[in-house]
Amino acid sequence: MRLTPEQLEQFDREGYLFFPAQFTRDEMRALTDEVPQLYARREACNVREKGKDAVRTNFAAHMYSKPFAKLARHPRMVQPVMDLFDEQVYMHQFKINGKQAFDGDVWQWHQDYGTWLNDDQMPTERAMNVAIFLDDVNEYNGPLMFIPGSHKKGVVQARHDLTTTSYPLWTVDNDLIATLVDRAGGKNGGIVSPKGPAGSMILFHSCLVHASSSNLSPWNRVSVYLSLCAVSNHIRRFKRPEYIAHRNFTPIECLPDDCLLKDYPVDLPWKDGIPASALQTTDVPFDGSRVEPAMTVL
Ligand code: SIN
Ligand code: MN
């Protein structure tokens, strides 16, 4: 799948692209059938909601689950990002967010690149998310919310929130969000929220400010996020464990387009468990060069 000039222009302006029903229900079933057994694992790779058993996010399934290893190499997800960067990409992060019925908690307003810069010392914003819905997403089950055009502000001021949810995040404060929403059109398009059937895909800029509300509905909202980084832009610090921020910068080689429905060989290096080395962290940049966070205060 190649992006059209109109899509490239829209991405530049809005900071995201939405592709409703990009994958079929049959393709999604191969993935959704696998989720319960992944969420059942009592391992570090499953972060549960604060005070609950429901899984908030599962990390690195592409390293130990065959259907997700194939998704991580899917040309419909990976090729558009390579086109946008005009460079090969590697997997910086892979997560299956649960947003489970009744239990799914909020994701506060944030930019992903804020975390990738501050925690992982990723040099520039040449990385982005491609999300795919495993469930239908509607207005009730906690859809993602974007502030269109907010990526144009670069890295905005953020603070490390360690308490609101079970997962630490660099979050943007309410005053700045109000300003950004106002500038994006206020009640007329200042916040957008792509919704659609399972199999829909969203590609969004790493500086796009986004959030999602809790899920009080009886419907799960499981979504997968591939965070793809241009190979030359690999992280410089291993402060977070490898199952969260990957350290293998090898370019992704895509499989054929029918890979979710057919058998193709894929490596599953963590199929027997997450290695101890992937849990180790260091605060020291591995090549001696420190990347200074450059915050924009609006
Ligand atoms: C994220 O921003 O990383 C996740 C948001 C969501 O799944 O709602
Ligand atoms: Mn995010």
Side-chain angles (χ1 to χ4, degrees):
M1 185 186 92
R2 311 311 283 235
L3 298 177
T4 64
E6 294 73 32
Q7 286 172 320
L8 292 172
E9 191 274 325
Q10 188 183 346
F11 179 80
D12 179 58
R13 192 180 61 245
E14 311 271 356
Y16 74 97
L17 291 170
F18 182 46
F19 304 86
Q22 169 80 345
F23 290 83
T24 65
R25 292 211 180 254
D26 281 350
E27 287 179 309
M28 290 302 91
R29 199 162 306 118
L31 301 169
T32 35
D33 285 354
E34 179 87 348
V35 171
Q37 73 185 63
L38 295 176
Y39 280 5
R41 296 161 74 127
R42 298 277 150 191
E43 287 174 358
C45 58
N46 276 330
V47 176
R48 293 173 194 277
E49 298 287 11
K50 197 173 179 177
K52 296 180 178 170
D53 204 41
V55 170
R56 176 175 181 77
T57 186
N58 164 279
F59 285 105
H62 67 304
M63 301 291 277
Y64 46 83
S65 154
K66 188 159 187 184
F68 287 98
K70 291 193 290 181
L71 184 72
R73 294 160 176 80
H74 203 294
R76 268 176 262 162
M77 299 197 81
V78 177
Q79 187 65 48
V81 181
M82 291 200 290
D83 283 355
L84 278 162
F85 290 144
D86 197 19
E87 188 181 342
Q88 288 183 296
V89 294
Y90 78 93
M91 188 66 68
H92 170 59
Q93 186 174 82
F94 187 101
K95 56 188 197 285
I96 310 171
N97 282 2
K99 191 74 85 169
Q100 297 285 283
F102 301 112
D103 286 330
D105 204 351
V106 302
W107 287 83
Q108 313 93 302
W109 286 107
H110 69 283
Q111 298 174 305
D112 285 349
Y113 183 59
T115 299
W116 300 341
L117 171 66
N118 286 302
D119 286 350
D120 308 325
Q121 303 252 312
M122 184 185 283
T124 76
E125 40 187 77
R126 280 171 66 77
M128 70 174 79
N129 281 319
V130 197
I132 178 165
F133 302 170
L134 297 199
D135 293 305
D136 298 346
V137 174
N138 56 43
E139 68 213 89
Y140 310 108
N141 62 355
L144 270 177
M145 298 187 284
F146 296 137
I147 304 178
S150 53
H151 63 302
K152 297 272 187 192
K153 305 292 177 199
V155 183
V156 301
Q157 196 167 44
R159 85 184 164 85
H160 208 191
D161 182 347
L162 302 163
T163 55
T164 303
T165 74
S166 58
Y167 187 69
L169 204 60
W170 287 83
T171 61
V172 181
D173 77 26
N174 293 348
D175 287 347
L176 187 44
I177 294 301
T179 305
L180 291 170
V181 171
D182 196 43
R183 287 186 193 180
K187 288 180 179 163
N188 298 312
I191 300 179
V192 296
S193 165
K195 296 173 278 286
S200 300
M201 184 175 105
I202 311 177
L203 193 155
F204 60 100
H205 193 284
S206 59
C207 287
L208 192 71
V209 179
H210 60 284
S212 64
S213 308
S214 61
N215 183 4
L216 292 178
S217 83
W219 307 297
N220 291 339
R221 197 228 64 183
V222 178
S223 302
V224 186
Y225 294 78
L226 277 59
S227 301
L228 301 169
C229 183
V231 169
S232 63
N233 191 43
H234 64 80
I235 61 169
R236 303 295 201 254
R237 184 169 67 180
F238 299 160
K239 186 184 160 196
R240 301 196 292 171
E242 190 179 1
Y243 64 87
I244 296 181
H246 288 282
R247 301 165 190 172
N248 180 347
F249 311 136
T250 310
I252 295 173
E253 280 187 36
C254 288
L255 290 170
D257 192 76
D258 59 3
C259 63
L260 292 178
L261 299 175
K262 289 195 183 156
D263 195 24
Y264 289 96
V266 279
D267 252 8
L268 296 173
W270 294 357
K271 66 178 181 314
D272 297 322
I274 298 182
S277 59
L279 304 173
Q280 280 162 10
T281 58
T282 167
D283 216 358
V284 180
F286 65 80
D287 66 356
S289 66
R290 192 178 156 72
V291 181
E292 291 301 335
M295 298 287 189
T296 306
V297 185
L298 290 184

